């Protein structure tokens, strides 16, 4: 097996400060909060990448996953057990505030203690003081929505995230953007040179391509009392995701077609439910919260189509999951979703109810061109399934350690 890290790294055992630490292995640290706590795109990105890198590096490369808590057992267990990989938790952090402060700053002492040579912030953040500690850093930027659309965030959160973003852009040795759209935003709002940014698309697992058995499909259909015909929308139910557009379009679709909305609720969800109730759609719009990851593939596979009407995304993983599940997809224009879905996905303006309804009709069984779009979509997303993301990220690590 070829050594995915340069020999000078794997054999010379660089310490965080650049000196040689004889007899110790090369250690990479990761921000693992999303690995153990996040069921959506950020968590999926982190878990998939760490698993792939752990399988690509040589045994003398250790991966430390720094998590402020143990989090969700089902998420943590998605990290494959390996001898060169371990979770690291705070020893003295008390309560939610203590854990947050450890992740924001206190973790640096643990990173130094563990002899970490390179630290990768997997969700757009780096701990305070890591640059002064001499540790090389890489950060993945997923989106800069809080800068582009500040109206979707409270004042304090927006100010804090902007400070954190600009600080991270200055201090990171290299930045990975998960789409060309995100790269443009990082350059614009972070005043970052394009030479400092590598675009590496999110690697997508293939579990949604695996067909569930009839027993599982029946179990999920019964458990959630799913309609016979439905279009599925997956994602946090918040204003940015714009699911109300799809709900409004339902008035223009056949009455035997329902919409199943799967995701974590926010106050926006109540607004959507109220609109559906007031417009006679309560019986045709079903909301599912807290769906286990193991049930989601079956929910996709029993749907006729998927709709993802988000106004702005950094990547758009649900688009790819739906295509892997054999579904045609409708999404919205204006961010990175065209990169995620390619020409096979139908795109509409995020405020165009009639355009959304027309596109959704074209995804229903029997619609002209539907099967061709499904096949074309599957062919297009192969680039995200076989894009050697781990090797490309390791190439970024090489650049950093050799600079």
């Amino acid at each position: 097996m070829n050594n995915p890290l340069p020999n000078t790294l794997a054999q010379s055992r660089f310490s965080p400060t650049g000196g040689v630490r004889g007899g110790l292995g090369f250690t990479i640290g990761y921000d693992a909060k999303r690995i153990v706590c996040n069921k959506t795109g950020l968590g999926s990105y982190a878990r998939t990448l760490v698993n792939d890198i752990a399988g690509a590096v040589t045994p003398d490369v250790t991966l430390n996953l720094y998590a402020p808590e143990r989090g969700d057992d089902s998420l943590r267990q998605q990290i494959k057990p390996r001898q060169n990989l371990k979770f690291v938790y705070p020893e003295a952090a008390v309560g939610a505030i203590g854990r947050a402060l450890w992740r924001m700053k206190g973790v640096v002492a643990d990173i130094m203690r563990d002899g970490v040579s390179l630290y990768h912030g997997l969700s757009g953040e780096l701990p305070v003081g890591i640059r002064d500690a001499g540790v090389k850093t890489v950060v993945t930027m997923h989106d800069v929505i809080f800068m582009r659309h500040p109206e979707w965030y409270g004042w304090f959160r927006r100010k804090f995230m902007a400070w954190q973003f600009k600080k991270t852009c200055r201090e990171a040795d290299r930045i990975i953007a998960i789409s060309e759209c995100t790269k443009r935003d990082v350059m614009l709002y972070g005043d970052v040179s394009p030479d400092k940014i590598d675009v590496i698309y999110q690697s997508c697992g293939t579990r949604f391509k695996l067909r569930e058995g009839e027993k599982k499909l029946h179990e999920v259909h019964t458990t959630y009392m799913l309609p016979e015909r439905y279009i599925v929308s997956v994602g946090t139910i918040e204003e940015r995701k714009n699911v109300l557009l799809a709900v409004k379009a339902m008035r223009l679709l056949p009455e035997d077609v329902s919409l199943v909305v799967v995701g974590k609720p926010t106050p926006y969800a109540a607004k959507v439910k109220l609109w559906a109730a007031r417009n006679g759609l309560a019986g045709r719009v079903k909301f599912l919260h807290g769906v286990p990851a193991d049930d989601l593939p079956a929910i996709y596979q029993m749907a006729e189509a998927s709709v993802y009407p988000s106004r702005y995304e950094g990547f758009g993983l649900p688009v790819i999951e739906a295509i892997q599940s054999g579904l045609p997809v409708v999404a919205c224009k204006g961010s990175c979703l065209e990169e995620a879905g390619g020409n096979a996905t139908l795109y509409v303006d995020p405020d165009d109810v009639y355009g959304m309804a027309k596109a959704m009709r074209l995804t229903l069984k029997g619609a002209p061109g539907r099967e061709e779009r499904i096949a074309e979509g599957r062919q297009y997303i192969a680039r995200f399934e076989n894009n050697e993301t781990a090797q490309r990220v390791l190439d970024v690590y090489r650049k950093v350690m050799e600079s």
Side-chain angles (χ1 to χ4, degrees), residues 31-39 42-44 46-47 75 103 123 125:
D31 175 7
K33 178 183 177 181
R34 266 51 181 218
I35 287 177
V36 300
C37 295
N38 188 286
K39 296 181 179 181
L42 293 179
S44 178
R47 288 185 292 273
L75 298 179
R103 179 170 177 260
S123 54
E125 306 167 59

Side-chain angles (χ1 to χ4, degrees), residues 38-116:
N38 188 286
K39 296 181 179 181
T40 55
L42 293 179
S44 178
Y45 170 84
R47 288 185 292 273
T48 300
L49 180 61
V50 166
N51 277 329
D52 289 348
I53 288 180
V57 297
T58 51
D60 59 345
V61 177
T62 299
L63 308 184
N64 284 0
L65 309 185
Y66 292 91
E69 59 183 297
R70 294 183 63 83
D72 186 300
D73 289 346
S74 66
L75 298 179
R76 192 176 61 255
Q77 290 166 7
Q78 290 179 30
I79 298 296
K80 299 173 184 177
R82 297 180 187 272
Q83 289 188 341
N84 65 334
L85 184 151
K86 66 177 180 178
F87 281 95
V88 181
Y89 305 104
E91 295 179 354
V94 178
I97 294 177
R99 291 191 295 271
L101 290 174
W102 176 83
R103 179 170 177 260
M104 182 179 177
K105 184 176 182 180
V107 67
V108 174
D110 292 349
I111 289 169
M112 294 296 294
R113 174 200 66 198
D114 298 338
V116 170

Side-chain angles (χ1 to χ4, degrees), residues 174 195 197-198 394-403:
R174 289 205 70 79
D195 296 336
I197 306 172
D198 298 279
L394 288 168
D395 285 343
V396 173
Y397 294 173
R398 287 194 192 95
K399 291 180 187 178
V400 170
M401 295 307 298
E402 291 175 347
S403 63

Side-chain angles (χ1 to χ4, degrees), residues 16-218:
T17 55
V20 174
R21 297 173 63 102
L24 296 178
F26 183 83
T27 302
I28 305 172
Y30 293 91
D31 175 7
K33 178 183 177 181
R34 266 51 181 218
I35 287 177
V36 300
C37 295
N38 188 286
K39 296 181 179 181
T40 55
L42 293 179
S44 178
Y45 170 84
R47 288 185 292 273
T48 300
L49 180 61
V50 166
N51 277 329
D52 289 348
I53 288 180
V57 297
T58 51
D60 59 345
V61 177
T62 299
L63 308 184
N64 284 0
L65 309 185
Y66 292 91
E69 59 183 297
R70 294 183 63 83
D72 186 300
D73 289 346
S74 66
L75 298 179
R76 192 176 61 255
Q77 290 166 7
Q78 290 179 30
I79 298 296
K80 299 173 184 177
R82 297 180 187 272
Q83 289 188 341
N84 65 334
L85 184 151
K86 66 177 180 178
F87 281 95
V88 181
Y89 305 104
E91 295 179 354
V94 178
I97 294 177
R99 291 191 295 271
L101 290 174
W102 176 83
R103 179 170 177 260
M104 182 179 177
K105 184 176 182 180
V107 67
V108 174
D110 292 349
I111 289 169
M112 294 296 294
R113 174 200 66 198
D114 298 338
V116 170
S117 300
L118 182 146
Y119 183 84
H120 188 163
L122 294 170
S123 54
E125 306 167 59
L126 292 174
V128 174
I130 195 165
R131 182 183 180 91
D132 293 338
V135 181
K136 297 284 190 176
T137 56
V138 174
V139 66
T140 296
M141 293 289 183
H142 296 265
D143 61 65
V144 193
I145 298 170
F146 53 91
M147 299 288 285
R148 182 173 282 277
H149 290 285
E151 68 274 16
W152 294 335
Y153 298 82
W155 182 87
F156 178 79
R157 186 183 180 201
R158 182 175 73 244
K159 292 295 184 181
F160 177 76
M161 292 174 74
W163 168 80
Q164 191 174 53
F165 165 69
K166 291 178 180 178
K167 179 178 181 297
T168 298
C169 286
R170 289 194 306 270
E171 296 189 353
D173 289 295
R174 289 205 70 79
I175 296 171
I176 293 173
I178 64 168
S179 67
E180 291 289 346
C181 176
T182 295
K183 178 180 179 179
R184 291 192 297 270
D185 281 353
V186 171
M187 291 167 57
L188 175 63
Y189 294 105
D191 192 25
V192 178
S193 166
D195 296 336
K196 187 177 178 176
I197 306 172
D198 298 279
V199 175
I200 303 178
Y201 284 117
Q202 180 168 344
S203 179
C204 300
T206 57
R207 71 186 184 99
F208 287 94
K209 297 176 71 172
L210 303 176
R211 294 297 301 176
E212 297 286 358
E214 288 301 319
K215 180 180 179 181
K216 178 67 173 181
L217 294 175
H218 177 74

